[in-house]
PDB file of all heavy atoms in Angstrom:
ATOM      1  N   ILE K 314      89.443  50.864 -24.531  1.00 96.00           N
ATOM      2  CA  ILE K 314      89.870  50.673 -23.151  1.00 96.00           C
ATOM      3  C   ILE K 314      90.211  52.035 -22.558  1.00 96.00           C
ATOM      4  O   ILE K 314      90.766  52.901 -23.250  1.00 96.00           O
ATOM      5  CB  ILE K 314      91.079  49.707 -23.098  1.00 96.00           C
ATOM      6  CG1 ILE K 314      91.472  49.401 -21.661  1.00 96.00           C
ATOM      7  CG2 ILE K 314      92.243  50.247 -23.884  1.00 96.00           C
ATOM      8  CD1 ILE K 314      92.478  48.260 -21.576  1.00 96.00           C
ATOM      9  N   ALA K 315      89.850  52.255 -21.291  1.00 95.00           N
ATOM     10  CA  ALA K 315      90.087  53.555 -20.661  1.00 95.00           C
ATOM     11  C   ALA K 315      90.024  53.407 -19.156  1.00 95.00           C
ATOM     12  O   ALA K 315      89.621  52.364 -18.624  1.00 95.00           O
ATOM     13  CB  ALA K 315      89.055  54.586 -21.140  1.00 95.00           C
ATOM     14  N   SER K 316      90.400  54.477 -18.470  1.00 94.00           N
ATOM     15  CA  SER K 316      90.299  54.503 -17.016  1.00 94.00           C
ATOM     16  C   SER K 316      88.838  54.457 -16.596  1.00 94.00           C
ATOM     17  O   SER K 316      87.974  55.087 -17.209  1.00 94.00           O
ATOM     18  CB  SER K 316      90.958  55.766 -16.466  1.00 94.00           C
ATOM     19  OG  SER K 316      90.699  55.905 -15.081  1.00 94.00           O
ATOM     20  N   ALA K 317      88.568  53.710 -15.534  1.00 93.00           N
ATOM     21  CA  ALA K 317      87.215  53.640 -14.968  1.00 93.00           C
ATOM     22  C   ALA K 317      87.221  54.132 -13.529  1.00 93.00           C
ATOM     23  O   ALA K 317      86.466  53.639 -12.690  1.00 93.00           O
ATOM     24  CB  ALA K 317      86.675  52.222 -15.060  1.00 93.00           C
ATOM     25  N   GLY K 318      88.083  55.086 -13.229  1.00 89.00           N
ATOM     26  CA  GLY K 318      88.133  55.638 -11.882  1.00 89.00           C
ATOM     27  C   GLY K 318      88.886  54.733 -10.930  1.00 89.00           C
ATOM     28  O   GLY K 318      89.832  54.039 -11.311  1.00 89.00           O
ATOM     29  N   THR K 319      88.460  54.714  -9.695  1.00 87.00           N
ATOM     30  CA  THR K 319      89.114  53.911  -8.671  1.00 87.00           C
ATOM     31  C   THR K 319      88.096  53.005  -7.995  1.00 87.00           C
ATOM     32  O   THR K 319      86.883  53.229  -8.076  1.00 87.00           O
ATOM     33  CB  THR K 319      89.784  54.796  -7.612  1.00 87.00           C
ATOM     34  OG1 THR K 319      88.786  55.618  -6.983  1.00 87.00           O
ATOM     35  CG2 THR K 319      90.849  55.677  -8.242  1.00 87.00           C
ATOM     36  N   THR K 320      88.614  52.012  -7.310  1.00 84.00           N
ATOM     37  CA  THR K 320      87.775  51.077  -6.568  1.00 84.00           C
ATOM     38  C   THR K 320      88.505  50.698  -5.285  1.00 84.00           C
ATOM     39  O   THR K 320      89.746  50.639  -5.272  1.00 84.00           O
ATOM     40  CB  THR K 320      87.474  49.828  -7.410  1.00 84.00           C
ATOM     41  OG1 THR K 320      86.575  48.975  -6.707  1.00 84.00           O
ATOM     42  CG2 THR K 320      88.751  49.059  -7.717  1.00 84.00           C
ATOM     43  N   PRO K 321      87.783  50.459  -4.184  1.00 87.00           N
ATOM     44  CA  PRO K 321      88.463  50.041  -2.954  1.00 87.00           C
ATOM     45  C   PRO K 321      89.046  48.643  -3.104  1.00 87.00           C
ATOM     46  O   PRO K 321      88.457  47.769  -3.749  1.00 87.00           O
ATOM     47  CB  PRO K 321      87.349  50.087  -1.896  1.00 87.00           C
ATOM     48  CG  PRO K 321      86.083  49.991  -2.665  1.00 87.00           C
ATOM     49  CD  PRO K 321      86.337  50.641  -3.984  1.00 87.00           C
ATOM     50  N   ALA K 322      90.215  48.447  -2.516  1.00 87.00           N
ATOM     51  CA  ALA K 322      90.884  47.149  -2.589  1.00 87.00           C
ATOM     52  C   ALA K 322      91.581  46.856  -1.266  1.00 87.00           C
ATOM     53  O   ALA K 322      91.980  47.772  -0.534  1.00 87.00           O
ATOM     54  CB  ALA K 322      91.890  47.122  -3.736  1.00 87.00           C
ATOM     55  N   LEU K 323      91.719  45.593  -0.994  1.00 90.00           N
ATOM     56  CA  LEU K 323      92.418  45.141   0.209  1.00 90.00           C
ATOM     57  C   LEU K 323      93.889  44.964  -0.143  1.00 90.00           C
ATOM     58  O   LEU K 323      94.232  44.198  -1.052  1.00 90.00           O
ATOM     59  CB  LEU K 323      91.817  43.825   0.700  1.00 90.00           C
ATOM     60  CG  LEU K 323      92.366  43.254   2.016  1.00 90.00           C
ATOM     61  CD1 LEU K 323      92.089  44.200   3.172  1.00 90.00           C
ATOM     62  CD2 LEU K 323      91.772  41.877   2.283  1.00 90.00           C
ATOM     63  N   VAL K 324      94.776  45.676   0.552  1.00 90.00           N
ATOM     64  CA  VAL K 324      96.204  45.653   0.228  1.00 90.00           C
ATOM     65  C   VAL K 324      97.012  45.434   1.507  1.00 90.00           C
ATOM     66  O   VAL K 324      96.514  45.561   2.627  1.00 90.00           O
ATOM     67  CB  VAL K 324      96.637  46.969  -0.453  1.00 90.00           C
ATOM     68  CG1 VAL K 324      95.854  47.206  -1.726  1.00 90.00           C
ATOM     69  CG2 VAL K 324      96.460  48.150   0.493  1.00 90.00           C
ATOM     70  N   GLY K 325      98.267  45.108   1.306  1.00 89.00           N
ATOM     71  CA  GLY K 325      99.172  44.898   2.433  1.00 89.00           C
ATOM     72  C   GLY K 325     100.613  44.920   1.974  1.00 89.00           C
ATOM     73  O   GLY K 325     100.907  45.184   0.807  1.00 89.00           O
ATOM     74  N   GLU K 326     101.518  44.642   2.891  1.00 87.00           N
ATOM     75  CA  GLU K 326     102.937  44.579   2.596  1.00 87.00           C
ATOM     76  C   GLU K 326     103.471  43.205   2.977  1.00 87.00           C
ATOM     77  O   GLU K 326     102.924  42.543   3.876  1.00 87.00           O
ATOM     78  CB  GLU K 326     103.697  45.670   3.361  1.00 87.00           C
ATOM     79  CG  GLU K 326     103.306  47.073   2.974  1.00 87.00           C
ATOM     80  CD  GLU K 326     104.083  48.113   3.765  1.00 87.00           C
ATOM     81  OE1 GLU K 326     105.057  47.719   4.450  1.00 87.00           O
ATOM     82  OE2 GLU K 326     103.723  49.299   3.711  1.00 87.00           O
ATOM     83  N   PRO K 327     104.541  42.754   2.314  1.00 86.00           N
ATOM     84  CA  PRO K 327     105.072  41.410   2.608  1.00 86.00           C
ATOM     85  C   PRO K 327     105.489  41.268   4.069  1.00 86.00           C
ATOM     86  O   PRO K 327     106.095  42.169   4.658  1.00 86.00           O
ATOM     87  CB  PRO K 327     106.287  41.302   1.683  1.00 86.00           C
ATOM     88  CG  PRO K 327     106.051  42.304   0.599  1.00 86.00           C
ATOM     89  CD  PRO K 327     105.282  43.419   1.223  1.00 86.00           C
ATOM     90  N   GLY K 328     105.119  40.141   4.658  1.00 84.00           N
ATOM     91  CA  GLY K 328     105.555  39.807   6.005  1.00 84.00           C
ATOM     92  C   GLY K 328     104.764  40.429   7.131  1.00 84.00           C
ATOM     93  O   GLY K 328     105.047  40.142   8.300  1.00 84.00           O
ATOM     94  N   LEU K 329     103.756  41.258   6.844  1.00 87.00           N
ATOM     95  CA  LEU K 329     103.007  41.911   7.909  1.00 87.00           C
ATOM     96  C   LEU K 329     101.845  41.058   8.417  1.00 87.00           C
ATOM     97  O   LEU K 329     101.320  41.325   9.499  1.00 87.00           O
ATOM     98  CB  LEU K 329     102.471  43.266   7.432  1.00 87.00           C
ATOM     99  CG  LEU K 329     103.513  44.352   7.160  1.00 87.00           C
ATOM    100  CD1 LEU K 329     102.828  45.655   6.785  1.00 87.00           C
ATOM    101  CD2 LEU K 329     104.413  44.561   8.381  1.00 87.00           C
ATOM    102  N   VAL K 330     101.426  40.067   7.651  1.00 88.00           N
ATOM    103  CA  VAL K 330     100.324  39.204   8.077  1.00 88.00           C
ATOM    104  C   VAL K 330     100.917  37.986   8.770  1.00 88.00           C
ATOM    105  O   VAL K 330     101.628  37.180   8.146  1.00 88.00           O
ATOM    106  CB  VAL K 330      99.456  38.787   6.880  1.00 88.00           C
ATOM    107  CG1 VAL K 330      98.333  37.854   7.335  1.00 88.00           C
ATOM    108  CG2 VAL K 330      98.880  40.021   6.191  1.00 88.00           C
ATOM    109  N   ALA K 331     100.642  37.842  10.065  1.00 86.00           N
ATOM    110  CA  ALA K 331     101.252  36.763  10.859  1.00 86.00           C
ATOM    111  C   ALA K 331     100.755  35.386  10.438  1.00 86.00           C
ATOM    112  O   ALA K 331     101.528  34.423  10.387  1.00 86.00           O
ATOM    113  CB  ALA K 331     100.972  36.998  12.342  1.00 86.00           C
ATOM    114  N   ASP K 332      99.491  35.241  10.146  1.00 90.00           N
ATOM    115  CA  ASP K 332      98.914  33.940   9.790  1.00 90.00           C
ATOM    116  C   ASP K 332      98.205  34.075   8.442  1.00 90.00           C
ATOM    117  O   ASP K 332      96.998  34.318   8.382  1.00 90.00           O
ATOM    118  CB  ASP K 332      97.945  33.482  10.864  1.00 90.00           C
ATOM    119  CG  ASP K 332      97.483  32.044  10.673  1.00 90.00           C
ATOM    120  OD1 ASP K 332      97.732  31.476   9.589  1.00 90.00           O
ATOM    121  OD2 ASP K 332      96.864  31.490  11.602  1.00 90.00           O
ATOM    122  N   PRO K 333      98.925  33.907   7.325  1.00 89.00           N
ATOM    123  CA  PRO K 333      98.317  34.082   6.002  1.00 89.00           C
ATOM    124  C   PRO K 333      97.151  33.133   5.741  1.00 89.00           C
ATOM    125  O   PRO K 333      96.176  33.523   5.096  1.00 89.00           O
ATOM    126  CB  PRO K 333      99.485  33.812   5.042  1.00 89.00           C
ATOM    127  CG  PRO K 333     100.714  34.087   5.845  1.00 89.00           C
ATOM    128  CD  PRO K 333     100.381  33.664   7.235  1.00 89.00           C
ATOM    129  N   SER K 334      97.218  31.924   6.255  1.00 91.00           N
ATOM    130  CA  SER K 334      96.129  30.959   6.003  1.00 91.00           C
ATOM    131  C   SER K 334      94.836  31.422   6.654  1.00 91.00           C
ATOM    132  O   SER K 334      93.765  31.391   6.034  1.00 91.00           O
ATOM    133  CB  SER K 334      96.529  29.581   6.532  1.00 91.00           C
ATOM    134  OG  SER K 334      97.632  29.076   5.815  1.00 91.00           O
ATOM    135  N   ALA K 335      94.916  31.857   7.919  1.00 92.00           N
ATOM    136  CA  ALA K 335      93.715  32.333   8.601  1.00 92.00           C
ATOM    137  C   ALA K 335      93.181  33.595   7.931  1.00 92.00           C
ATOM    138  O   ALA K 335      91.957  33.757   7.762  1.00 92.00           O
ATOM    139  CB  ALA K 335      94.029  32.606  10.070  1.00 92.00           C
ATOM    140  N   ALA K 336      94.075  34.497   7.523  1.00 92.00           N
ATOM    141  CA  ALA K 336      93.639  35.716   6.843  1.00 92.00           C
ATOM    142  C   ALA K 336      92.973  35.394   5.509  1.00 92.00           C
ATOM    143  O   ALA K 336      91.943  35.986   5.152  1.00 92.00           O
ATOM    144  CB  ALA K 336      94.821  36.656   6.639  1.00 92.00           C
ATOM    145  N   ALA K 337      93.533  34.441   4.761  1.00 93.00           N
ATOM    146  CA  ALA K 337      92.957  34.053   3.480  1.00 93.00           C
ATOM    147  C   ALA K 337      91.563  33.481   3.653  1.00 93.00           C
ATOM    148  O   ALA K 337      90.650  33.760   2.860  1.00 93.00           O
ATOM    149  CB  ALA K 337      93.875  33.053   2.785  1.00 93.00           C
ATOM    150  N   ASN K 338      91.364  32.673   4.699  1.00 93.00           N
ATOM    151  CA  ASN K 338      90.035  32.110   4.954  1.00 93.00           C
ATOM    152  C   ASN K 338      89.030  33.218   5.311  1.00 93.00           C
ATOM    153  O   ASN K 338      87.877  33.181   4.871  1.00 93.00           O
ATOM    154  CB  ASN K 338      90.106  31.087   6.088  1.00 93.00           C
ATOM    155  CG  ASN K 338      90.860  29.836   5.678  1.00 93.00           C
ATOM    156  OD1 ASN K 338      90.886  29.474   4.499  1.00 93.00           O
ATOM    157  ND2 ASN K 338      91.491  29.180   6.646  1.00 93.00           N
ATOM    158  N   THR K 339      89.454  34.195   6.084  1.00 93.00           N
ATOM    159  CA  THR K 339      88.570  35.310   6.449  1.00 93.00           C
ATOM    160  C   THR K 339      88.179  36.123   5.214  1.00 93.00           C
ATOM    161  O   THR K 339      87.009  36.494   5.031  1.00 93.00           O
ATOM    162  CB  THR K 339      89.258  36.220   7.476  1.00 93.00           C
ATOM    163  OG1 THR K 339      89.570  35.465   8.646  1.00 93.00           O
ATOM    164  CG2 THR K 339      88.375  37.395   7.839  1.00 93.00           C
ATOM    165  N   ILE K 340      89.153  36.390   4.358  1.00 93.00           N
ATOM    166  CA  ILE K 340      88.869  37.146   3.132  1.00 93.00           C
ATOM    167  C   ILE K 340      87.892  36.381   2.242  1.00 93.00           C
ATOM    168  O   ILE K 340      86.958  36.945   1.667  1.00 93.00           O
ATOM    169  CB  ILE K 340      90.180  37.445   2.382  1.00 93.00           C
ATOM    170  CG1 ILE K 340      91.095  38.319   3.240  1.00 93.00           C
ATOM    171  CG2 ILE K 340      89.895  38.130   1.046  1.00 93.00           C
ATOM    172  CD1 ILE K 340      92.494  38.458   2.701  1.00 93.00           C
ATOM    173  N   SER K 341      88.082  35.076   2.134  1.00 92.00           N
ATOM    174  CA  SER K 341      87.197  34.244   1.321  1.00 92.00           C
ATOM    175  C   SER K 341      85.771  34.246   1.863  1.00 92.00           C
ATOM    176  O   SER K 341      84.800  34.279   1.096  1.00 92.00           O
ATOM    177  CB  SER K 341      87.736  32.817   1.253  1.00 92.00           C
ATOM    178  OG  SER K 341      86.885  31.986   0.498  1.00 92.00           O
ATOM    179  N   GLU K 342      85.632  34.238   3.186  1.00 93.00           N
ATOM    180  CA  GLU K 342      84.297  34.255   3.787  1.00 93.00           C
ATOM    181  C   GLU K 342      83.554  35.564   3.483  1.00 93.00           C
ATOM    182  O   GLU K 342      82.347  35.559   3.259  1.00 93.00           O
ATOM    183  CB  GLU K 342      84.409  34.088   5.311  1.00 93.00           C
ATOM    184  CG  GLU K 342      84.891  32.705   5.753  1.00 93.00           C
ATOM    185  CD  GLU K 342      85.159  32.675   7.247  1.00 93.00           C
ATOM    186  OE1 GLU K 342      84.887  33.712   7.923  1.00 93.00           O
ATOM    187  OE2 GLU K 342      85.641  31.651   7.745  1.00 93.00           O
ATOM    188  N   ILE K 343      84.287  36.676   3.461  1.00 92.00           N
ATOM    189  CA  ILE K 343      83.643  37.974   3.276  1.00 92.00           C
ATOM    190  C   ILE K 343      83.466  38.315   1.800  1.00 92.00           C
ATOM    191  O   ILE K 343      82.385  38.732   1.374  1.00 92.00           O
ATOM    192  CB  ILE K 343      84.463  39.073   3.982  1.00 92.00           C
ATOM    193  CG1 ILE K 343      84.551  38.798   5.481  1.00 92.00           C
ATOM    194  CG2 ILE K 343      83.854  40.454   3.716  1.00 92.00           C
ATOM    195  CD1 ILE K 343      85.461  39.754   6.229  1.00 92.00           C
ATOM    196  N   LEU K 344      84.515  38.123   1.006  1.00 90.00           N
ATOM    197  CA  LEU K 344      84.488  38.549  -0.393  1.00 90.00           C
ATOM    198  C   LEU K 344      84.130  37.436  -1.358  1.00 90.00           C
ATOM    199  O   LEU K 344      83.808  37.717  -2.520  1.00 90.00           O
ATOM    200  CB  LEU K 344      85.847  39.143  -0.794  1.00 90.00           C
ATOM    201  CG  LEU K 344      86.343  40.350   0.005  1.00 90.00           C
ATOM    202  CD1 LEU K 344      87.697  40.808  -0.516  1.00 90.00           C
ATOM    203  CD2 LEU K 344      85.333  41.485  -0.056  1.00 90.00           C
ATOM    204  N   GLY K 345      84.170  36.180  -0.883  1.00 88.00           N
ATOM    205  CA  GLY K 345      84.011  35.073  -1.803  1.00 88.00           C
ATOM    206  C   GLY K 345      85.315  34.786  -2.519  1.00 88.00           C
ATOM    207  O   GLY K 345      86.343  35.420  -2.287  1.00 88.00           O
ATOM    208  N   GLY K 346      85.303  33.837  -3.409  1.00 84.00           N
ATOM    209  CA  GLY K 346      86.518  33.483  -4.126  1.00 84.00           C
ATOM    210  C   GLY K 346      87.305  32.414  -3.397  1.00 84.00           C
ATOM    211  O   GLY K 346      86.916  31.918  -2.333  1.00 84.00           O
ATOM    212  N   SER K 347      88.449  32.080  -3.978  1.00 88.00           N
ATOM    213  CA  SER K 347      89.259  30.973  -3.468  1.00 88.00           C
ATOM    214  C   SER K 347      90.216  31.451  -2.380  1.00 88.00           C
ATOM    215  O   SER K 347      90.978  32.412  -2.569  1.00 88.00           O
ATOM    216  CB  SER K 347      90.061  30.355  -4.616  1.00 88.00           C
ATOM    217  OG  SER K 347      91.034  29.459  -4.131  1.00 88.00           O
ATOM    218  N   ALA K 348      90.181  30.764  -1.237  1.00 90.00           N
ATOM    219  CA  ALA K 348      91.113  31.083  -0.164  1.00 90.00           C
ATOM    220  C   ALA K 348      92.551  30.804  -0.585  1.00 90.00           C
ATOM    221  O   ALA K 348      93.480  31.509  -0.165  1.00 90.00           O
ATOM    222  CB  ALA K 348      90.765  30.274   1.092  1.00 90.00           C
ATOM    223  N   GLU K 349      92.752  29.807  -1.425  1.00 91.00           N
ATOM    224  CA  GLU K 349      94.098  29.473  -1.891  1.00 91.00           C
ATOM    225  C   GLU K 349      94.674  30.620  -2.734  1.00 91.00           C
ATOM    226  O   GLU K 349      95.864  30.932  -2.647  1.00 91.00           O
ATOM    227  CB  GLU K 349      94.067  28.182  -2.704  1.00 91.00           C
ATOM    228  CG  GLU K 349      95.424  27.700  -3.165  1.00 91.00           C
ATOM    229  CD  GLU K 349      96.372  27.401  -2.007  1.00 91.00           C
ATOM    230  OE1 GLU K 349      95.886  26.958  -0.936  1.00 91.00           O
ATOM    231  OE2 GLU K 349      97.595  27.621  -2.167  1.00 91.00           O
ATOM    232  N   THR K 350      93.825  31.241  -3.543  1.00 87.00           N
ATOM    233  CA  THR K 350      94.284  32.384  -4.350  1.00 87.00           C
ATOM    234  C   THR K 350      94.734  33.526  -3.447  1.00 87.00           C
ATOM    235  O   THR K 350      95.794  34.132  -3.669  1.00 87.00           O
ATOM    236  CB  THR K 350      93.163  32.861  -5.278  1.00 87.00           C
ATOM    237  OG1 THR K 350      92.795  31.799  -6.160  1.00 87.00           O
ATOM    238  CG2 THR K 350      93.603  34.064  -6.094  1.00 87.00           C
ATOM    239  N   TYR K 351      93.962  33.814  -2.408  1.00 90.00           N
ATOM    240  CA  TYR K 351      94.331  34.881  -1.482  1.00 90.00           C
ATOM    241  C   TYR K 351      95.606  34.524  -0.720  1.00 90.00           C
ATOM    242  O   TYR K 351      96.452  35.385  -0.455  1.00 90.00           O
ATOM    243  CB  TYR K 351      93.190  35.155  -0.503  1.00 90.00           C
ATOM    244  CG  TYR K 351      91.905  35.605  -1.178  1.00 90.00           C
ATOM    245  CD1 TYR K 351      90.669  35.096  -0.786  1.00 90.00           C
ATOM    246  CD2 TYR K 351      91.940  36.543  -2.203  1.00 90.00           C
ATOM    247  CE1 TYR K 351      89.495  35.504  -1.398  1.00 90.00           C
ATOM    248  CE2 TYR K 351      90.772  36.956  -2.834  1.00 90.00           C
ATOM    249  CZ  TYR K 351      89.557  36.439  -2.423  1.00 90.00           C
ATOM    250  OH  TYR K 351      88.407  36.845  -3.033  1.00 90.00           O
TER     251      TYR K 351
END
Side-chain angles (χ1 to χ4, degrees):
I314 185 169
S316 171
T319 60
T320 184
L323 184 63
V324 301
E326 297 180 11
L329 292 184
V330 178
D332 189 348
S334 295
N338 291 332
T339 300
I340 298 169
S341 179
E342 292 172 4
I343 299 174
L344 301 180
S347 169
E349 183 61 33
T350 299
Y351 299 137

